[in-house]
C-alpha cells in the first residue's frame, strides 16, 4: 500500500573551527534509521526520506542519532538527536471486525425497529480519515436499515418467514476524508419460523354421498389442511356446534382427517348431515371447513298400513259398478321408487267383484267391479297387498272384510206356483182350516218378512186368511153351497221391504197368484194341488 506523509527534508548543519581537511564536516545516521526510512547527504547534511514509504500507522515518529565528523577514524565528532514526526494522511481503508456477520434465528414476528446486529469497522487513520459511515449496499429488500454512525442494523418492515427465510446484505464502511476509502462486509440474517400463519383447508367444503346402513368403520371422506409454518402436527376435530346426532353417527381421525361411520346410518331418520371440522396446529389461527353428507336410500323398509285404513265395510248389494267402497293407506319411509306403494288384491276377490286402484303412491281405493248379489255371496275376505317399487319389492298385507248388505230385490215365491185345489163341506164350523199358502223370500231381515192377503174372490167374506201364517180358514158364517158352490180366491203375498214386492209364481211387480177353492156338499175336506 502506498503511504504518504508530510515529511519532505531537513538540513543539518555542523561547524568545525579547523581549516583545511580537518575543518571539513561529514554527516551520517548512527541509530534509529530502522528500515532505511531516511537518508542524509554525507557532505551537505540534507536529511531526506529513504526509498521506502513511511507509515504513520506503524510508527508515527522516528528518533535518529545523526553524527557529524571530519574523519572516519578521527576522534573529532559530534552527534545530535533528530526526532521526525510523521503526519497522517488518509491512506487506510476501514476494516470490519468480521468479514461476515451472522444473525441466525431472528424471529419472523419481530416488530419494526427491532435490533438485528451491530457491525463495526475501524480505520487507523486519524481525524476524519479515521471516522466511518455505514451503509447497506444491497440485500435489505426494504426490510432493514443501518445507523450510519453506529453500524446498528434494525428492522424497518414486517418480516415473514413464509415469504423469505434469509437475507444476505452487503454493507460498506466509508471514511470521512478524501479519497473516502471503503471497506466491505456481508451480513447474513436468517428468520425463525413461528406459528403465525393460519391453518388452511385444501377445500372450503367437502361433499360425500353415501348409502344408508353402511358398515361401522367405513371411510366416507378425508379432509386435509396444511400450514405454511409446517412446525407442528395438524389435528382435526368436530367443532362444538356440530349436532349431537351427527357426532353419534360419524367420527374423525384426529391425525389423518378421515371421517368414518361409527353408528347406524338410517336415511329414514336423517338424509343430510352437516359436519364442521376444525384444523389446529397449536398456533393462534385455526381454520374450519364444512362437510356435507347426503344419505341415499336403500330399500330396507316395507310399506306400513295406516290405522285409518278400512278393515271392515258393508256394501249394499245394489251398489253400482264403479262405486268406491273402501280406502286403504300405506306409507313407505324409503325414498324414490323404494317408497312408491302400489296396491293389489291377492286373494278373496271371488269372481273379480272388486278392484283396487293406487293413487298418490300411498292410497288404495277399492271399487265395485261387478254387480253384487247377496243371495249368491254375502261376505268377502279380501287380502290387500301393499308393495313398494324397489328391487326386490317389499310387501305388507292387510285384510279387508266386505259384508254385502241385503236390498229388497227378490219378490216372495209361493211354494205351489200353480195354485191349490181344495174342497170343504158346507156348514162347517167357523175357523175351520181350509188350506195354508206357503211362500219364501230369498231376501233377509225385514225384506223377507211376508204378509198374506186374499185380494179377490172373497167378496162375501166367507173366508179369512191369517196375514202371518198364510192359513185360510172359514169365518163363523159357514159356507153355503146353495148360495155359492165355487170360490176362486186370489192370494197376494207381500214382503215388508221398501219398496214392497209381491209375486205370483215367478212373476214380480205385484202380479197376483191364483188360488182355487171348491165348495162341496158333504164328504171330507181334502187339498190337492192342481195345475
Amino acid at each position: 500500500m502506498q503511504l504518504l506523509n508530510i515529511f519532505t527534508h531537513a538540513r543539518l548543519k555542523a561547524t568545525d573551527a579547523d581549516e583545511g581537511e580537518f575543518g571539513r564536516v561529514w554527516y551520517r545516521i548512527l541509530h534509529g534509521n530502522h528500515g532505511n526510512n531516511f537518508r542524509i547527504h554525507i557532505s551537505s547534511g540534507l536529511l531526506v526520506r529513504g526509498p521506502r514509504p513511511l507509515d504513520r500507522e506503524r510508527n508515527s515518529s522516528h528518533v535518529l542519532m545523526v553524527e557529524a565528523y571530519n574523519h572516519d577514524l578521527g576522534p573529532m565528532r559530534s552527534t545530535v538527536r533528530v526526532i521526525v514526526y510523521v503526519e497522517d494522511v488518509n491512506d487506510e481503508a476501514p476494516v470490519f471486525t468480521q468479514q461476515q456477520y451472522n444473525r441466525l434465528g431472528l424471529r419472523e414476528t419481530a416488530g419494526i425497529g427491532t435490533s438485528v446486529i451491530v457491525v463495526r469497522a475501524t480505520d487507523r487513520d486519524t481525524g476524519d480519515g479515521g471516522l466511518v459511515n455505514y451503509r447497506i449496499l444491497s440485500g435489505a429488500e426494504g426490510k432493514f436499515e443501518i445507523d450510519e454512525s453506529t453500524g446498528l442494523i434494525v428492522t424497518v418492515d414486517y418480516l415473514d418467514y413464509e415469504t423469505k427465510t434469509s437475507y444476505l446484505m452487503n454493507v460498506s464502511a466509508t471514511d470521512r476524508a478524501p479519497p473516502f476509502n471503503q471497506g466491505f462486509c456481508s451480513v447474513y440474517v436468517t428468520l425463525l419460523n413461528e406459528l403465525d400463519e393460519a391453518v388452511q383447508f385444501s377445500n372450503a367444503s367437502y361433499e360425500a354421498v353415501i348409502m344408508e346402513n353402511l358398515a361401522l368403520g367405513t371411510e366416507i371422506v378425508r379432509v386435509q389442511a396444511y400450514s405454511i409454518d409446517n412446525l407442528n402436527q395438524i389435528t382435526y376435530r368436530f367443532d362444538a356446534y356440530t349436532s349431537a346426532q351427527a357426532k353419534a353417527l360419524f367420527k374423525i381421525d384426529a391425525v389423518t382427517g378421515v371421517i368414518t361411520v361409527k353408528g347406524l346410518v338410517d336415511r329414514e331418520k336423517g338424509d343430510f348431515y352437516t359436519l364442521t371440522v376444525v384444523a389446529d396446529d397449536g398456533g393462534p389461527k385455526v381454520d374450519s371447513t364444512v362437510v356435507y353428507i347426503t344419505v341415499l336410500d336403500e330399500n330396507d323398509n316395507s310399506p306400513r298400513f295406516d290405522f285409518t285404513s278400512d278393515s271392515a265395510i258393508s256394501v249394499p248389494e245394489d251398489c253400482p259398478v264403479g262405486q268406491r267402497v273402501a280406502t286403504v293407506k300405506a306409507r313407505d319411509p324409503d325414498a324414490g321408487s323404494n317408497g312408491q306403494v302400489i296396491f293389489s288384491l291377492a286373494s278373496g276377490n271371488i269372481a273379480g267383484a272388486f278392484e283396487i286402484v293406487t293413487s298418490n303412491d300411498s292410497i288404495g281405493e277399492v271399487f265395485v267391479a261387478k254387480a253384487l248379489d247377496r243371495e249368491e255371496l254375502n261376505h268377502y275376505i279380501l287380502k290387500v297387498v301393499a308393495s313398494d317399487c324397489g328391487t326386490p319389492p317389499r310387501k305388507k298385507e292387510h285384510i279387508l272384510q266386505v259384508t254385502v248388505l241385503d236390498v229388497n230385490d227378490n219378490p216372495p215365491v209361493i211354494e205351489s206356483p200353480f195354485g191349490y185345489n181344495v174342497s170343504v163341506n158346507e156348514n162347517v164350523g167357523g175357523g175351520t182350516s181350509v188350506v195354508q199358502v206357503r211362500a219364501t223370500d230369498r231376501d233377509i231381515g225385514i225384506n223377507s218378512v211376508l204378509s198374506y192377503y186374499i185380494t179377490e174372490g172373497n167378496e162375501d167374506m166367507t173366508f179369512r186368511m191369517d196375514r202371518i201364517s198364510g192359513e185360510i180358514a172359514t169365518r163363523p158364517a159357514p159356507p153355503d153351497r146353495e148360495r155359492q158352490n165355487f170360490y176362486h180366491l186370489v192370494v197376494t203375498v207381500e214382503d215388508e221391504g221398501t219398496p214392497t214386492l209381491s209375486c205370483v209364481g215367478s212373476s214380480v211387480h205385484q202380479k197376483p197368484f191364483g188360488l182355487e177353492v171348491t165348495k162341496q156338499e158333504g164328504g171330507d175336506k181334502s187339498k190337492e194341488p192342481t195345475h
Side-chain angles (χ1 to χ4, degrees):
M1 181 184 297
Q2 179 67 35
L3 301 177
L4 300 177
N5 55 70
I6 64 172
F7 175 81
T8 56
H9 64 271
R11 185 181 296 273
L12 300 180
K13 181 67 176 176
T15 61
D16 191 322
D18 294 325
E19 294 180 355
E21 184 68 23
F22 294 104
R24 188 175 180 180
V25 180
W26 305 90
Y27 300 90
R28 62 183 175 189
I29 300 173
L30 293 178
H31 303 291
N33 190 20
H34 306 296
N36 294 317
N37 290 310
F38 302 95
R39 291 183 303 172
I40 192 168
H41 194 275
I42 190 169
S43 60
S44 66
L46 181 64
L47 182 67
V48 296
R49 286 178 50 185
R52 298 182 62 180
L54 299 177
D55 187 355
R56 187 204 66 82
E57 286 71 34
R58 289 186 179 183
N59 200 348
S60 62
S61 65
H62 300 267
V63 179
L64 305 176
M65 293 299 294
V66 179
E67 182 182 55
Y69 65 97
N70 54 17
H71 194 276
D72 285 339
L73 300 177
M76 305 304 291
R77 59 192 69 223
S78 177
T79 60
V80 67
R81 187 175 68 174
V82 178
I83 301 176
V84 179
Y85 292 96
V86 182
E87 292 185 358
D88 185 47
V89 294
N90 190 19
D91 59 346
E92 295 286 335
V95 177
F96 283 95
T97 59
Q98 297 174 215
Q99 285 299 302
Q100 179 170 301
Y101 295 83
N102 296 318
R103 173 63 188 272
L104 305 180
L106 176 64
R107 294 178 59 187
E108 66 171 319
T109 55
I112 296 175
T114 299
S115 297
V116 178
I117 198 169
V118 176
V119 298
R120 183 173 296 278
T122 59
D123 192 319
R124 293 191 300 173
D125 294 320
T126 60
D128 288 343
L131 300 176
V132 299
N133 290 333
Y134 300 95
R135 186 162 67 96
I136 298 176
L137 300 178
S138 64
E141 300 185 16
K143 301 293 184 179
F144 306 94
E145 284 186 357
I146 191 169
D147 187 293
E148 68 173 7
S149 298
T150 65
L152 174 64
I153 297 176
V154 298
T155 59
V156 293
D157 195 4
Y158 294 106
L159 305 173
D160 185 7
Y161 178 90
E162 288 68 37
T163 302
K164 190 173 180 63
T165 61
S166 64
Y167 296 85
L168 182 60
M169 293 175 279
N170 294 315
V171 178
S172 68
T174 306
D175 59 29
R176 302 180 185 178
F180 302 107
N181 300 305
Q182 286 186 314
F184 304 92
C185 74
S186 61
V187 178
Y188 182 60
V189 179
T190 64
L191 301 187
L192 176 65
N193 191 13
E194 296 183 283
L195 289 173
D196 63 334
E197 295 293 332
V199 176
Q200 291 182 320
F201 276 96
S202 300
N203 295 355
S205 64
Y206 295 80
E207 295 184 4
V209 179
I210 64 173
M211 295 296 298
E212 62 177 324
N213 302 316
L214 283 179
L216 300 184
T218 300
E219 179 177 334
I220 296 175
V221 68
R222 179 192 297 265
V223 300
Q224 191 169 17
Y226 64 92
S227 172
I228 300 176
D229 291 328
N230 197 27
L231 292 175
N232 294 343
Q233 172 70 52
I234 295 176
T235 59
Y236 303 91
R237 69 179 185 273
F238 293 140
D239 81 345
Y241 298 102
T242 299
S243 70
Q245 182 184 12
K247 290 180 179 178
L249 295 178
F250 307 101
K251 67 178 180 179
I252 186 168
D253 189 289
V255 176
T256 64
V258 173
I259 297 176
T260 56
V261 176
K262 65 175 283 190
L264 177 61
V265 180
D266 186 354
R267 189 206 62 84
E268 287 69 45
K269 293 183 180 179
D271 59 358
F272 187 77
Y273 297 92
T274 300
L275 306 173
T276 302
V277 180
V278 176
D280 187 358
D281 67 349
K285 301 175 183 178
V286 301
D287 193 18
S288 63
T289 189
V290 180
V291 179
Y292 301 104
I293 300 177
T294 301
V295 182
L296 299 182
D297 184 59
E298 187 178 67
N299 194 22
D300 58 345
N301 289 278
S302 298
R304 301 171 189 169
F305 279 94
D306 193 82
F307 74 95
T308 60
S309 298
D310 291 325
S311 58
I313 61 170
S314 297
V315 179
E317 61 178 322
D318 64 347
C319 183
V321 173
Q323 177 70 44
R324 186 181 66 185
V325 295
T327 300
V328 293
K329 296 180 181 179
R331 301 185 184 277
D332 191 319
D334 292 323
S337 60
N338 295 332
Q340 294 177 356
V341 180
I342 57 174
F343 297 89
S344 62
L345 299 177
S347 64
N349 190 24
I350 299 173
F354 301 95
E355 66 177 355
I356 190 167
V357 176
T358 302
S359 62
N360 296 330
D361 295 331
S362 62
I363 298 176
E365 296 177 305
V366 180
F367 296 88
V368 175
K370 293 184 179 180
L372 303 176
D373 187 352
R374 187 205 64 80
E375 288 72 35
E376 294 293 334
L377 185 61
N378 65 355
H379 193 73
Y380 296 84
I381 300 178
L382 303 178
K383 182 185 288 186
V384 180
V385 175
S387 303
D388 61 31
C389 297
T391 304
R394 299 175 69 100
K395 301 178 181 181
K396 193 73 173 180
E397 296 179 350
H398 176 77
I399 298 299
L400 174 62
Q401 299 192 51
V402 180
T403 300
V404 181
L405 300 179
D406 185 57
V407 297
N408 195 24
D409 60 345
N410 288 280
V413 177
I414 297 176
E415 292 182 355
S416 179
F418 301 105
Y420 298 83
N421 187 15
V422 299
S423 299
V424 63
N425 293 326
E426 67 177 347
N427 299 322
V428 295
T432 300
S433 177
V434 176
V435 69
Q436 184 173 12
V437 177
R438 299 181 183 275
T440 60
D441 194 316
R442 296 178 65 194
D443 296 320
I444 59 174
I446 194 67
N447 296 329
S448 65
V449 176
L450 304 180
S451 297
Y452 299 84
Y453 304 97
I454 299 174
T455 54
E456 293 183 22
N458 192 30
E459 288 78 4
D460 60 1
M461 304 296 289
T462 300
F463 303 95
R464 66 176 180 82
M465 189 170 203
D466 189 291
R467 185 175 65 84
I468 296 175
S469 67
E471 181 183 47
I472 298 176
T474 60
R475 290 185 177 276
D480 185 355
R481 187 189 65 81
E482 286 72 26
R483 187 179 70 240
Q484 183 172 342
N485 65 354
F486 180 82
Y487 289 87
H488 183 81
L489 302 178
V490 176
V491 175
T492 299
V493 183
E494 294 181 347
D495 59 29
E496 297 295 326
T498 303
T500 298
L501 299 180
S502 61
C503 69
V504 175
S506 59
S507 301
V508 190
H509 305 303
Q510 303 183 1
K511 292 185 179 179
F513 180 82
L515 173 67
E516 293 184 358
V517 179
T518 302
K519 177 186 175 186
Q520 295 182 349
E521 195 175 356
D524 295 331
K525 178 180 71 174
S526 64
K527 297 186 288 182
E528 296 180 3
T530 61
H531 297 284

